[in-house]
Amino acid sequence: MDPPNSKGTDVERLRKTHEVKVGDINMGGANPVRVQSMTNTDTADVESTVQQIIDLAEAGSELVRFTVKDDENAEAVPEIARLLERCGWGHVPLIGDFHYNGHKLLKKHPAMARALNKYRINPGNVGVGEQHDNNFRTMIEAAVEFGKPVRIGVNGGSLDQALLKELIDEDLAKGSPRGAQMVFLDTMVESAVRSAKMAEEYGQPANKIILSTKISEVNEVVHVYRELSKRCRYALHVGLTEAGMALKGTVSSSLALGILLSEGIGDTIRVSLTPAPGAPRTQEVEICREILQNLGLRSFTPRVTACPGCGRTTSTLFQELAIQVETRLKERMNYWKENGFEGVETMKVAVMGCVVNGPGEAKGANIGLSLPGTGENPSAPVYADGHKVATLKGDAESISRRFLEMVEDYVQSHYAPKAVV
């Protein structure tokens, strides 16, 4: 596989997918890959849901989805939208997640249908046979009436069983050359493509359709999205259905999304992480942003390079300082962004622990510090734009304080908006 190339990826994405507007967010086409998340509150609890939407948006989620499972949920949606507007977060696109009864809810609650910015439809959960087609059509007609885009989301755990049987029978008639699991994956792709074509027949424009084919295994999710991207130009929402808890969920999501995004596949992403009890929902947003930034597809905040430590670095100073620097950069990012410090999100800062790689990494960063390792000369050279600009000495506290001041000075001198004369 060729190495990721952001320019090439953008060209590939423009060639493959339609541009879709969701609220005030443009996605697909040549637009940046967007970060999406989902609440886990009871949607009928308006205050809790609004607070979690704000928390997710503050963390960097550009679109937020929530469950709409019954009349009580549906009645809460317009109030959620109003309260977000009142709090200054009315720009966050709201996505209604429908299963089993979405056709009834969209028809019964036009205020809800109008307040949402996008509908999420699972073609495996809208009935069977003629009922399936009628229910699906009702949901698409609501999207057409109110001018809303839809995500047609096929999940491995709720796949259209009638379609699966149809494709299994076809495979068996051919002597079963594909095998049960490959037919299952083929059915996911076929379900998404057929549903999208059906939506177009019912009046939904292609540039208001997003597709997803989610399953839990990394290799399988890579396979189905590769196949889906070959068969259509609809915008694609990419992720695993259930990534898992902390370590497993982070690794599996990073692998699957990293492979697909590096191939130009994916217009919105979500890491469906299982949070630990009491842990913030925002962790999945942070992982999405890290994946995009590490692939070079987007920049959100300055990066800190720090060494892992070894027997040369018995002091914890480099670890403590790396944490301090990263924390300070995150704290200052909102101020810099709001005050026009253009490009500061691309800055690289190095905090290294000894002479082995310290000077080289520090020189390669915008600004970097090489701390003394065990037995080394008790001085810490600072490099900016590849040149040595200072040598810091003294105790850990004074070195930390002075370097943080130098990082701030660097930002002010390199990224501050130019004064208008």
Side-chain angles (χ1 to χ4, degrees), residues 6 10 14 19 42 70 81 91 119 121 128 190 219 221 234 248 255 266 272 315 340 352 371 385-386 388 406 410 416:
S6 59
D10 285 341
L14 178 62
E19 180 172 330
D42 178 358
D70 53 29
H91 59 280
Y119 310 154
I121 304 171
V128 295
E190 185 66 22
N219 290 336
V221 84
Y234 302 110
K248 188 265 182 187
L255 284 169
S272 300
S315 167
M352 303 300 293
L371 291 162
D385 300 324
K388 185 176 177 180
M406 294 183 72
Y410 185 93

Side-chain angles (χ1 to χ4, degrees), residues 23 98 133 182 202 230 295 297 330-331 337 348 368 372:
F98 296 99
D133 294 351
M182 287 306 298
Y202 297 153
K230 293 175 185 175
L295 285 171
L297 293 174
K330 288 181 178 179
E331 290 173 348
K337 185 177 179 180
K348 295 181 181 178

Side-chain angles (χ1 to χ4, degrees), residues 57-330:
E58 284 183 330
S61 183
E62 293 163 290
L63 306 99
V64 179
R65 178 165 55 111
F66 50 75
T67 297
V68 185
K69 63 183 176 64
D70 53 29
D71 290 326
E72 194 176 6
N73 280 191
E75 290 165 1
V77 172
E79 183 59 26
I80 290 169
R82 280 193 293 270
L83 193 51
L84 285 168
E85 186 71 41
R86 199 178 309 146
C87 295
W89 292 94
H91 59 280
V92 180
L94 304 178
I95 303 165
D97 189 60
F98 296 99
H99 296 273
Y100 309 111
N101 60 353
H103 57 290
K104 295 179 180 178
L105 295 175
L106 285 166
K107 201 167 185 178
K108 184 177 179 181
H109 299 278
M112 175 268 293
R114 198 175 291 111
L116 291 170
N117 299 107
K118 185 172 79 172
Y119 310 154
R120 192 278 193 184
I121 304 171
N122 183 340
N125 287 341
V126 295
V128 295
E130 185 178 346
Q131 182 189 48
H132 171 284
D133 294 351
N134 291 337
N135 292 347
F136 183 79
R137 180 170 192 154
T138 297
M139 299 180 78
I140 295 301
E141 286 176 344
V144 173
E145 179 183 354
F146 295 108
K148 308 295 183 177
V150 297
R151 170 161 73 96
I152 299 172
V154 177
N155 284 355
S158 52
L159 188 57
D160 183 335
Q161 294 302 300
L163 179 59
L164 177 60
K165 183 180 184 304
E166 175 189 329
L167 295 191
I168 287 175
D169 289 344
E170 288 181 6
D171 191 59
L172 290 173
K174 297 174 184 176
S176 192
R178 299 284 289 163
Q181 188 58 20
M182 287 306 298
V183 174
F184 184 90
L185 299 178
D186 289 346
T187 305
M188 292 185 65
V189 176
E190 185 66 22
S191 176
V193 173
R194 285 193 190 186
S195 298
K197 295 300 183 186
M198 188 181 297
E200 284 197 69
E201 290 173 8
Y202 297 153
Q204 183 75 345
N207 66 350
K208 288 191 175 181
I209 296 173
I210 301 103
L211 297 186
S212 65
T213 46
K214 289 187 175 184
I215 197 165
S216 295
E217 296 299 322
V218 171
N219 290 336
E220 292 178 349
V221 84
V222 169
H223 172 79
V224 292
Y225 274 103
R226 281 175 171 165
E227 293 303 309
L228 184 61
S229 70
K230 293 175 185 175
R231 294 188 57 183
C232 71
R233 292 188 61 227
Y234 302 110
L236 302 180
H237 171 72
V238 178
L240 283 77
T241 42
E242 300 92 14
M245 296 186 72
L247 181 59
K248 188 265 182 187
T250 301
V251 172
S252 58
S253 293
S254 299
L255 284 169
L257 293 174
I259 292 169
L260 292 169
L261 291 170
S262 69
E263 296 177 4
I265 299 171
D267 301 291
T268 65
I269 61 171
R270 182 190 172 205
V271 170
S272 300
L273 201 66
T274 304
R281 189 71 164 181
T282 54
Q283 188 178 13
E284 65 178 44
V285 178
E286 295 165 4
I287 295 169
C288 283
R289 285 160 62 102
E290 284 292 329
I291 291 170
L292 292 174
Q293 187 144 345
N294 277 281
L295 285 171
L297 293 174
R298 296 186 67 178
S299 294
F300 300 102
T301 190
R303 310 291 289 167
V304 177
T305 299
C307 69
C310 66
R312 291 176 174 269
T313 56
T314 52
S315 167
T316 60
L317 175 58
F318 80 95
Q319 298 161 312
E320 293 164 357
L321 183 53
I323 293 170
Q324 290 177 29
V325 170
E326 188 165 77
T327 301
R328 178 70 62 84
L329 292 172
K330 288 181 178 179

